[in-house]
């Protein structure tokens, strides 16, 4: 009798676990995200973080002054601007708190989307969650705060809107329609690719649930959301932000399509392969540092829990063409704006939303296999994926942190060398030669905004300098990387206005001088050794070579 009771209790326990598999796998995933993002240390500012949160929105007066329309930074993505201004900037010295907000927003938003889809015959969700929340190539979109503010919060509100809409159909309560209207409006105010995802998920929920014309009301609400944000863009169409990021393609359609396709293919193939090679090796070194047994065991146990309970979540049902179509449309929808907009600049964050589609497709294709086999395969693949994604992500995160450390070290050197405080004098210009977009110390994979250092970008360099010095208004610190062309005339013809420095191979910074050589200039150290040359391009601009 006791043995029967014991078996009954064990059986009940496993039934309880099975009935809560969605929550258990999501909890394990959340802990893996924390390990991935914080094992190597707290968040440190990089790239746009410096000039947005350490400079532009520094102090309540700057925040209020920049909280106006039209304004360059609020012309597009208005709610992202609000979070930048009133959440991220005040917490600049404690950005790890912001990173926690973003991590949980990404996790919770992804979970809500899966919850809504599972209520519409979606079988699993493990691959979707693993790709969206842990995939290391997506960290530019979900870890770097300046980008993650746009991506993570938009995904959170999309998840809220999608689940609210599904509850509206299933319960027929007006309050859920109101919630959909509110969350849907919030969803379109962060990031343009997120608007496409919001449209696709709304269309899917409507397609899967409507029975009469009244059920099409959410489509009218969605159309109103698009119209409102569209009008907002039009009202701010004179902004440089709109012109540089929101201009539609007008000519060379075939050439543009081929170029974008080639860049996208490189991200999904060669770049992803390089990220895993570099990131995994660095991550393993960190994991095998102090207390290696505890760290390896923790990541392994959490990966197994995530993999096993993702497998348990797989429903026994027939293959759904609707879900497969949703995944395919989501994949191409996540990439669509890259083909429509005029810029052929494709940073990693612009392919992030395609991962949602890939995850949905993989989760659905698993259903074609026999249930027992699909669960075993899913458990194994997701355990291995979660472990490798986490470790590789740890390596990626360490590159972000190391880049920030180098940023601070270089900028601090420059400030310390500047004994006459020329760097904070608005009547003086400061130029720094031999800058780098990507530091050799990190050996990270080079691709546009992927872990860029301040010494290759004037806004980042200036933002870092203003944060460290506390100065509010200064001229820009202008770095020259190899081949850069910048305007120097008439400033270099005025004695005492320009100050020149060079970043040496050992990361020390030294003062340098310009020596005229016909129409060009030779850049020399104080001991007359040569750094490089400035070659005349036109009457005012010069190109740097070293």
């Amino acid at each position: 009798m006791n043995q029967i009771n014991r078996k009954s209790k064990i059986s009940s326990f496993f039934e309880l676990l099975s009935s809560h598999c969605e929550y258990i796998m999501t909890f394990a995933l959340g802990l893996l995200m924390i390990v991935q993002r914080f094992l190597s240390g707290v968040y440190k500012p990089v790239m746009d973080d410096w000039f947005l949160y350490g400079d532009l929105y520094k102090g309540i007066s700057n925040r209020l002054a920049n909280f106006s329309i039209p304004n360059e930074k609020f012309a597009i993505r208005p709610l992202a601007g609000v979070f930048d201004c009133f959440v991220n900037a005040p917490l600049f010295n404690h950005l790890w708190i912001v990173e926690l907000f973003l991590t949980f927003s990404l996790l919770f938003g992804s979970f809500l989307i899966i919850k809504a889809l599972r209520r519409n015959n979606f079988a699993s969700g493990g691959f979707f969650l693993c790709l969206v929340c842990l995939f290391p190539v997506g960290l530019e979109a979900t870890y770097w705060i300046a980008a993650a503010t746009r991506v993570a919060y938009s995904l959170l509100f999309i998840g809220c809107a999608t689940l609210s809409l599904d509850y509206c159909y299933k319960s027929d309560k007006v309050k859920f329609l109101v919630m959909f209207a509110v969350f849907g409006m919030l969803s379109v105010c962060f990031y343009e690719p997120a608007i496409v995802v919001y449209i696709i998920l709304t269309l899917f929920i409507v397609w899967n649930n409507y029975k009469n014309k009244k059920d099409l009301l959410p489509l009218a609400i969605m159309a109103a959301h698009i119209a409102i944000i569209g009008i907002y863009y039009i009202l701010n169409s004179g902004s440089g932000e709109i012109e540089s990021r929101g201009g539609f393609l007008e000519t060379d359609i075939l050439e543009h399509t081929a170029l974008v396709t080639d860049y996208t293919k490189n991200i999904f193939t060669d770049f992803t392969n390089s990220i895993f090679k570099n990131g995994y090796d660095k991550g393993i070194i960190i994991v095998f540092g102090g207390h290696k047994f505890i760290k390896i065991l923790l990541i392994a146990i959490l990966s197994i829990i995530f993999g096993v309970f993702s497998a348990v979540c797989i429903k026994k049902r027939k293959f759904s063409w609707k879900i497969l179509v949703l995944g395919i449309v989501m994949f191409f929808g996540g990439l669509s704006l890259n083909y429509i907009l005029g810029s052929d600049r494709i940073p990693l964050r612009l392919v992030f939303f395609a991962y949602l589609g890939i995850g949905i497709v993989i989760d659905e294709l698993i259903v074609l296999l026999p249930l027992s086999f699909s669960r075993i395969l899913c458990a194994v693949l997701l355990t291995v994926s979660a472990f490798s994604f986490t470790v590789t992500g740890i390596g990626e995160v360490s590159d972000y942190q190391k880049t920030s450390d180098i940023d601070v070290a270089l900028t601090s050197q420059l400030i310390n060398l500047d004994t006459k405080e020329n760097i904070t004098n608005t009547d003086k210009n400061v130029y720094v030669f031999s800058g780098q977009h990507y530091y050799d110390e990190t050996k990270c994979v080079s691709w546009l905004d992927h872990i860029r250092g301040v010494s290759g970008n004037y806004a980042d360099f200036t933002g870092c300098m203003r944060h460290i010095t506390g100065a509010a208004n200064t001229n820009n610190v202008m770095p020259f990387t190899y081949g850069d062309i910048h305007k120097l005339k008439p400033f270099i013809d005025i004695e005492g206005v320009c100050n020149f420095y060079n970043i040496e191979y050992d990361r020390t910074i030294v003062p340098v001088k310009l020596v005229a050589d016909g129409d060009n200039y030779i850049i020399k150290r104080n001991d007359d050794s040569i750094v490089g040359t400035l070659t005349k391009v036109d009457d005012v601009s010069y190109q740097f070579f070293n």
Side-chain angles (χ1 to χ4, degrees), residues 333-516:
L335 301 172
S336 60
L337 289 185
N338 299 334
Y339 291 90
I340 297 172
L341 298 180
S343 174
D344 55 15
R345 189 178 184 275
I346 314 296
L348 300 184
R349 57 191 178 277
L350 282 184
V351 305
F352 171 77
F353 286 100
Y355 298 143
L356 279 68
I358 295 173
I360 291 171
V361 168
I362 296 173
D363 277 317
E364 188 57 32
L365 291 177
I366 287 285
V367 177
L368 291 171
L369 302 171
L371 182 61
S372 57
F373 180 70
S374 67
R375 283 179 169 171
I376 294 171
L377 182 64
C378 180
V380 173
L381 290 179
L382 281 175
T383 297
V384 173
S385 297
F387 185 89
S388 62
F389 289 3
T390 301
V391 172
T392 304
I394 290 169
E396 273 286 284
V397 167
S398 72
D399 276 346
Y400 277 95
Q401 294 165 337
K402 188 178 293 184
T403 295
S404 182
D405 290 339
I406 296 172
D407 288 345
V408 172
L410 287 175
T411 309
S412 297
Q413 278 191 74
L414 185 61
I415 293 167
N416 292 335
L417 279 172
D418 182 38
T419 54
K420 296 182 180 180
E421 297 186 352
N422 291 323
I423 198 170
T424 56
N425 188 335
T426 54
D427 295 324
K428 305 286 185 178
N429 293 343
V430 175
Y431 302 90
V432 182
F433 298 107
S434 304
Q436 286 183 298
H437 292 291
Y438 313 98
Y439 298 134
D440 294 334
E441 289 88 338
T442 65
K443 293 184 172 59
C444 67
V445 184
S446 305
W447 185 279
L448 298 178
D449 297 330
H450 182 240
I451 319 183
R452 189 186 66 224
V454 299
S455 71
N457 182 279
Y458 79 91
D460 301 346
F461 214 156
T462 305
C464 186
M465 177 271 292
R466 288 178 181 171
H467 168 66
I468 293 174
T469 61
N473 298 301
T474 70
N475 287 341
N476 292 321
V477 177
M478 183 63 69
F480 276 86
T481 63
Y482 180 86
D484 273 356
I485 299 173
H486 291 306
K487 180 180 177 181
L488 288 175
K489 295 273 189 176
F491 313 114
I492 55 175
D493 295 330
I494 306 172
E495 186 176 353
V497 168
C498 295
N499 298 272
F500 301 97
Y501 299 90
N502 185 65
I503 301 174
E504 302 290 293
Y505 291 112
D506 63 357
R507 290 275 172 253
T508 56
I509 296 181
V510 298
V512 293
K513 57 192 176 182
L514 301 188
V515 178

